[in-house]
C-alpha cells in the first residue's frame, strides 16, 4: 500500500475518478466514488445542488468533500486507486546491432513481489529480480473507456499463442514513437512500430474496437461503447501522462443571497391557511394584518408576494434559471451593499459609486461592485479523454454530451468550497449594442462562425455569433488583459485569480475573483485594486495595443486555413494567453483587436478612442 498526499481541490480539478496518476513507485487509476473510503463532509450550496439534481435527474444527489484521514498514520480513509496499467518494462537492457536498446515487456502476472525475475544480461549473476516501470502506453476511446493494450495480440494477431518473450526496442535516443518497436523473440513475426498505433482517425486504428472497459469503477463495470453509427469506437493510443488523458468537467457556483428562495419559503409558511385563496395584492395586504402572516412576510412587498401566489394558482412552473444568470442579476441589482459583513459570511458586496461625467475607458463601464467576501463551490460531474467537452458560453455545461461516469450509482459528487474576494463590473449595454452593429465587427463574427461551429459540434447562427459570442469574446479578451495588469499590484499571483464572464442580451459583466480553501482568499488585495479600477483598466488597454509577436499576431484571422487556430483572432502567448487555471475557456475565444486598436486593424476596437 502506498500513501500520497493531495489537496482536496486537486482531487476535484485534476485527480478525480478515472484519472491516470503517476506515483513515486507505480502508476494508478483513481477509483470511482463507491470505492472512496471514509465519511465525506457535506458541502451546502442549495442553488448549485438544485441545478444539478434537475439536470442530472438525480433528486437525492449530494455534494461532499473528498474524504480526508484525521491522522497521517490512519489507514482506511481517503481516495482509493487501482494499479494501472498492468504491463511493465523491465529495467535492464540488451543492446544489439540489429535492435539497438531492448527491454522486456512483461505483464503483472510475471512479476515476483513487484520485480521481474530474469537472467542477468551481463553474465555476472545467473538470475536477478529486476525493477520494472509501468509502460507509457494504454488505449482509450472518446467515451472515457480505458484499458491495457493487448501487446501479444498486436504482435501475433488475434488467437495466436506464442511462448516467446515480448521486447520493447528503442532504435534511437529520442523515445519518439517512430523509434519504438514491439517484437517477440519466440517467432519470426516482424516487429511492430508503435507509430502505427498513432492514428489520426478511428477508421485507421489498429487497436481494435473499444470493449467499454471502465476499470476505475471496478472489474465488472464494463458497458457498451456507443460511437458513430451506434457502433463501438475504435481504440486510440493514449500516453498515460499526456495532457489529453483526463479532462474533468467542472461546475462552479458563487454563493449569493437568494431572494427568490426567501420569498418561496415565506409564502410556503402561510400558503395553506391564508394565501391560497388570495385574488389580488389587496388580499395579500389584508391578510398581513394577521400576526402570523405579518411575521412570515416581513421584508417582502405585497406585489412580490402576490406574484408568487399568482404563479402557484396558475399552476405554471418557472423555467429553471441558470447558475450564471442568477449571479448576474444579483451583481446588477446590488443597491449600496448586499450580504453579511462578518468573518464567516458567504457573500458581502458594496457598489462602487461612479462619477456621472466619466472620461476615458471607464466611461464604457456601467457598474462596479466590490465583492469583499465570496464563497465558491466547485464540483466535478464527469470527465472526458482526448478532447475537452465544449462549454456553452451563456449556460451551464451541456449534459447531453457523453461524459464518463464518476460512479456506477451516483449518489454524491466530490466538491470543495473556496473563499475569497473579487471585482465585478458591467459594460454599458447600449455601447456594446452599437459596437456589435459595426460592419467590421459583423465581418469578424462571420470569420469566427465556422470555427465556433466546428468546436461546438452544432450549427450556430450568424445572429447568435453577433449578439452573444462577439460580446463574450470582447469581455473574455478584456478580462485577460485586466487580469494581467492588476496581478502586478494586488498581491496575488496571476494564476490565483479566476474569471467568470456573464453574457446575455442586454447585460455584459465580468467577475475577477480569487478563492482558496485557506486564508489567502481574503487578503483584500483585489478589493483595493477595484477602488482604482479606472487606472487599471487604462493599463490593461495599453498592454493590448502592442504584442511582442506583432505584426504576425495582429494579422491572424480565425478563418485562416494555415494556422489551425480557429477560435482565436489576434491572440497569442505574448499578449492574451494566460495560465489555464485562471481561464474559464481554456484560452479559447480571444481576440484583442475587438478590445483595442492593433497594428493591423483599428475599426474593430470597442475602446477605439482610449
Amino acid at each position: 500500500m502506498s500513501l500520497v498526499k493531495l489537496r482536496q481541490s486537486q482531487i476535484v480539478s485534476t485527480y478525480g475518478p478515472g484519472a491516470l496518476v503517476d506515483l513515486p513507485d507505480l502508476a494508478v487509476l483513481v477509483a470511482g466514488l463507491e470505492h472512496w473510503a471514509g465519511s465525506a463532509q457535506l458541502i451546502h450550496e442549495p442553488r448549485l445542488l438544485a441545478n444539478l439534481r434537475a439536470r442530472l435527474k438525480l433528486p437525492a444527489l449530494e455534494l461532499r468533500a473528498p474524504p480526508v484521514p484525521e491522522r497521517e498514520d490512519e489507514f482506511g480513509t481517503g481516495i482509493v486507486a487501482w494499479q494501472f496499467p498492468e504491463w511493465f518494462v523491465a529495467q535492464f537492457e540488451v543492446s544489439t546491432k540489429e535492435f539497438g536498446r531492448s527491454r522486456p515487456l512483461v505483464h503483472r502476472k510475471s512479476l515476483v513481489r513487484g520485480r521481474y525475475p530474469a537472467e542477468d544480461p551481463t553474465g555476472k549473476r545467473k538470475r536477478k529480480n529486476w525493477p520494472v516501470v509501468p509502460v507509457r502506453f494504454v488505449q482509450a476511446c472518446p467515451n472515457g473507456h480505458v484499458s491495457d493494450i493487448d501487446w501479444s495480440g498486436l504482435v501475433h494477431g488475434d488467437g495466436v499463442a506464442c511462448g516467446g518473450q515480448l521486447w520493447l526496442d528503442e532504435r534511437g535516443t529520442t523515445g519518439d514513437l517512430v523509434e519504438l518497436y514491439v517484437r517477440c523473440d519466440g517467432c519470426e513475426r516482424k516487429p511492430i512500430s508503435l507509430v502505427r498505433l498513432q492514428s489520426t482517425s478511428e477508421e485507421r486504428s489498429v487497436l481494435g474496437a473499444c470493449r467499454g472497459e471502465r476499470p476505475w469503477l471496478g472489474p465488472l463495470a464494463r458497458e457498451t461503447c456507443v460511437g458513430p453509427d451506434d457502433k463501438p469506437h475504435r481504440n486510440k493510443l493514449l500516453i498515460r501522462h499526456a495532457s489529453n488523458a483526463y479532462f474533468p468537467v467542472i461546475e462552479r457556483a458563487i454563493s449569493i443571497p437568494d431572494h427568490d428562495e426567501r420569498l418561496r419559503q415565506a409564502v410556503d409558511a402561510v400558503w395553506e391557511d391564508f394565501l391560497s385563496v388570495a385574488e389580488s395584492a389587496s388580499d395579500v395586504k389584508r391578510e398581513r394584518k394577521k400576526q402570523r402572516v405579518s411575521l412570515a412576510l416581513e421584508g417582502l412587498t405585497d406585489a412580490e408576494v402576490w406574484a408568487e401566489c399568482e404563479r402557484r394558482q396558475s399552476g405554471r412552473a418557472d423555467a429553471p434559471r441558470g447558475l450564471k444568470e442568477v449571479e448576474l442579476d444579483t451583481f446588477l441589482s446590488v443597491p449600496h451593499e448586499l450580504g453579511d459583513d462578518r468573518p464567516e459570511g458567504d457573500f458581502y458586496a458594496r457598489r462602487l459609486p461612479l462619477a456621472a461625467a466619466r472620461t476615458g475607458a471607464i466611461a464604457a463601464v456601467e457598474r462596479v461592485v466590490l465583492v469583499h467576501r465570496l464563497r465558491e463551490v466547485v464540483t466535478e460531474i464527469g470527465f472526458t479523454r482526448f478532447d475537452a467537452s465544449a462549454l456553452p458560453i451563456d449556460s451551464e455545461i451541456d449534459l447531453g454530451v457523453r461524459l464518463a461516469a464518476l460512479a456506477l450509482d451516483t449518489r454524491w459528487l466530490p466538491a470543495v468550497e473556496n473563499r475569497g474576494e473579487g471585482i465585478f463590473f458591467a459594460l454599458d449595454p447600449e455601447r456594446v449594442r452599437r459596437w456589435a452593429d459595426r460592419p467590421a465587427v459583423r465581418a469578424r463574427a462571420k470569420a469566427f462562425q465556422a470555427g465556433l461551429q466546428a468546436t461546438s459540434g452544432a450549427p450556430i447562427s450568424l445572429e447568435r455569433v453577433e449578439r452573444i459570442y462577439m460580446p463574450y469574446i470582447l469581455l473574455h479578451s478584456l478580462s485577460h488583459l485586466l487580469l494581467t495588469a492588476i496581478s502586478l499590484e494586488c498581491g496575488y499571483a496571476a494564476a490565483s485569480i479566476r474569471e467568470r464572464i456573464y453574457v446575455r442580451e442586454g447585460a455584459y459583466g465580468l467577475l475577477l475573483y480569487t478563492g482558496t480553501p485557506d486564508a489567502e482568499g481574503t487578503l483584500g488585495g483585489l478589493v483595493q485594486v477595484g477602488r482604482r479600477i479606472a487606472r487599471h483598466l487604462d493599463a490593461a488597454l495599453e498592454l493590448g495595443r502592442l504584442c511582442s509577436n506583432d505584426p504576425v499576431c495582429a494579422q491572424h484571422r480565425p478563418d485562416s486555413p494555415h494556422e489551425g487556430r480557429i477560435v482565436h483572432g489576434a491572440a497569442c502567448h505574448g499578449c492574451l494567453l494566460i495560465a489555464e487555471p485562471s481561464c474559464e475557456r481554456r484560452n479559447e475565444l480571444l481576440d484583442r483587436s475587438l478590445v483595442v486598436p492593433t497594428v493591423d486593424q483599428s475599426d474593430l476596437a470597442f475602446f477605439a478612442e482610449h
Side-chain angles (χ1 to χ4, degrees):
M1 178 179 289
S2 177
L3 286 179
V4 175
K5 295 181 181 179
L6 295 171
R7 296 172 66 97
Q8 287 180 312
S9 57
Q10 289 179 292
I11 298 298
V12 172
S13 63
T14 309
Y15 302 117
L20 298 147
V21 184
D22 279 322
L23 300 182
D25 300 320
L26 70 163
V28 298
L29 187 67
V30 179
L33 299 177
E34 291 100 340
H35 304 284
W36 291 15
S39 60
Q41 176 188 358
L42 275 171
I43 300 291
H44 298 283
E45 176 43 56
R47 193 166 57 87
L48 176 60
L49 189 57
N51 183 285
L52 292 177
R53 283 174 174 174
R55 292 161 60 210
L56 294 171
K57 297 179 175 57
L58 297 172
L61 185 70
E62 294 179 334
L63 302 179
R64 292 183 175 271
V68 177
E70 295 183 3
R71 305 186 311 274
E72 290 190 8
D73 60 346
E74 180 183 352
F75 291 90
T77 299
I79 310 303
V80 176
W82 314 123
Q83 187 177 20
F84 183 84
E86 296 191 336
W87 282 87
F88 298 84
V89 179
Q91 294 303 286
F92 73 82
E93 302 175 7
V94 175
S95 299
T96 65
K97 184 177 181 180
E98 181 181 1
F99 301 120
R101 184 174 69 165
S102 297
R103 294 179 291 172
L105 185 62
V106 298
H107 191 267
R108 175 181 57 83
K109 295 179 180 178
S110 302
L111 304 182
V112 177
R113 295 180 180 178
R115 289 176 169 256
Y116 177 59
E119 300 294 332
D120 189 341
T122 64
K124 295 181 181 179
R125 299 169 59 181
K126 289 186 177 181
R127 196 170 185 82
K128 182 178 179 180
N129 290 338
W130 297 92
V132 296
V133 296
V135 68
R136 284 192 294 154
F137 312 105
V138 295
Q139 62 186 15
C141 87
N143 287 338
H145 305 135
V146 65
S147 60
D148 272 298
I149 295 174
D150 181 6
W151 295 104
S152 179
L154 185 66
V155 174
H156 301 110
D158 294 336
V160 178
C162 176
Q165 171 64 53
L166 294 178
W167 293 80
L168 182 65
D169 299 336
E170 298 184 42
R171 304 182 181 183
T173 59
T174 66
D176 192 81
L177 291 178
V178 73
E179 297 179 344
L180 297 179
Y181 293 79
V182 177
R183 64 178 172 88
C184 175
D185 63 6
C187 57
E188 300 297 324
R189 292 187 177 273
K190 187 177 180 180
I192 301 294
S193 172
L194 293 195
V195 77
R196 288 184 55 195
L197 310 185
Q198 195 177 31
S199 174
T200 57
S201 64
E202 289 196 19
E203 295 77 12
R204 300 173 59 185
S205 172
V206 300
L207 292 175
C210 175
R211 294 173 294 179
E213 294 189 29
R214 302 184 292 176
W216 68 94
L217 300 181
L220 304 178
R222 183 181 298 179
E223 68 174 359
T224 301
C225 181
V226 179
D229 301 324
D230 294 330
K231 296 180 180 179
H233 281 285
R234 302 282 294 182
N235 283 309
K236 299 170 65 176
L237 181 69
L238 180 67
I239 300 175
R240 288 187 298 103
H241 48 266
S243 60
N244 66 344
Y246 189 77
F247 292 101
V249 179
I250 303 296
E251 275 289 20
R252 304 172 182 269
I254 306 297
S255 297
I256 58 175
D258 191 344
H259 179 76
D260 291 341
E261 180 64 22
R262 161 79 175 92
L263 174 62
R264 288 191 295 270
Q265 291 178 352
V267 174
D268 279 341
V270 290
W271 172 255
E272 194 67 32
D273 297 330
F274 301 100
L275 298 182
S276 59
V277 294
E279 297 180 352
S280 66
S282 299
D283 291 342
V284 174
K285 184 176 181 179
R286 184 173 57 254
E287 294 294 333
R288 271 187 189 272
K289 296 177 182 179
K290 301 171 183 177
Q291 184 179 15
R292 180 179 165 189
V293 178
S294 177
L295 290 174
L297 302 183
E298 185 177 3
L300 301 171
T301 67
D302 293 339
E304 289 175 324
V305 175
W306 167 240
E308 174 65 13
C309 293
E310 191 177 28
R311 183 188 67 82
R312 297 185 183 209
Q313 291 171 355
S314 66
R316 71 178 190 272
D318 289 339
R321 303 180 69 201
L323 295 171
K324 279 189 171 183
E325 184 180 357
V326 177
E327 294 168 15
L328 177 59
D329 286 341
T330 299
F331 286 123
L332 293 178
S333 63
V334 172
H336 175 64
E337 61 180 358
L338 181 66
D340 297 325
D341 187 14
R342 50 191 176 87
E344 65 274 14
D346 290 341
F347 186 88
Y348 178 65
R350 294 173 64 94
R351 181 175 179 179
L352 181 69
L354 296 176
R358 301 188 297 278
T359 59
I362 195 65
V365 175
E366 180 187 50
R367 162 184 291 253
V368 177
V369 177
L370 306 179
V371 188
H372 295 256
R373 302 191 186 281
L374 173 149
R375 175 180 179 260
E376 175 196 41
V377 176
V378 185
T379 184
E380 181 182 3
I381 62 176
F383 68 89
T384 62
R385 303 196 196 276
F386 296 111
D387 295 303
S389 63
L391 305 178
I393 65 172
D394 56 347
S395 62
E396 288 79 31
I397 295 162
D398 180 9
L399 297 183
V401 176
R402 186 176 179 87
L403 304 179
L406 304 182
L408 283 173
D409 181 16
T410 305
R411 300 183 179 181
W412 62 280
L413 294 173
V416 293
E417 58 179 1
N418 300 320
R419 294 183 181 273
E421 57 179 313
I423 313 166
F424 171 86
F425 70 85
L427 296 180
D428 183 342
E430 180 58 27
R431 289 180 181 240
V432 174
R433 186 193 62 78
R434 293 200 303 265
W435 167 82
D437 285 338
R438 292 184 198 170
V441 176
R442 288 190 167 185
R444 195 68 156 190
K446 190 170 182 61
F448 267 105
Q449 184 183 15
L452 292 170
Q453 292 184 151
T455 55
S456 67
I460 301 176
S461 68
L462 181 58
E463 180 183 5
R464 178 168 170 77
V465 176
E466 293 173 350
R467 296 301 175 189
I468 299 296
Y469 278 86
M470 294 305 285
Y472 183 96
I473 298 171
L474 163 66
L475 269 173
H476 194 200
S477 305
L478 176 61
S479 170
H480 283 210
L481 292 172
L482 189 58
L483 189 152
T484 302
I486 67 177
S487 66
L488 300 175
E489 182 173 330
C490 72
Y492 295 108
S496 69
I497 305 175
R498 285 192 55 84
E499 66 184 6
R500 195 160 173 84
I501 301 168
Y502 305 91
V503 170
R504 72 165 181 236
E505 192 76 35
Y508 312 95
L510 166 66
L511 174 67
L512 294 180
Y513 68 101
T514 183
T516 64
D518 49 36
E520 185 186 358
T522 55
L523 294 178
L526 273 183
V527 169
Q528 285 300 109
V529 164
R531 301 183 192 280
R532 299 183 295 275
I533 188 64
R535 178 162 64 87
H536 292 289
L537 186 58
D538 289 339
L541 300 183
E542 190 62 32
L543 283 175
R545 294 181 188 278
L546 188 65
C547 172
S548 58
N549 291 321
D550 278 343
V552 176
C553 174
Q555 292 173 348
H556 174 72
R557 291 175 51 87
D559 57 354
S560 171
H562 305 296
E563 298 183 53
R565 296 191 292 124
I566 56 178
V567 288
H568 285 156
C572 71
H573 285 283
C575 52
L576 287 189
L577 273 61
I578 59 175
E580 289 206 359
S582 298
C583 178
E584 71 172 16
R585 293 289 312 186
R586 300 182 302 275
N587 279 323
E588 298 175 349
L589 299 180
L590 294 167
D591 188 353
R592 62 187 169 92
S593 65
L594 301 182
V595 183
V596 292
T598 66
V599 296
D600 182 65
Q601 284 185 289
S602 61
D603 52 354
L604 294 172
F606 179 79
F607 295 96
E609 301 174 359
H610 308 293

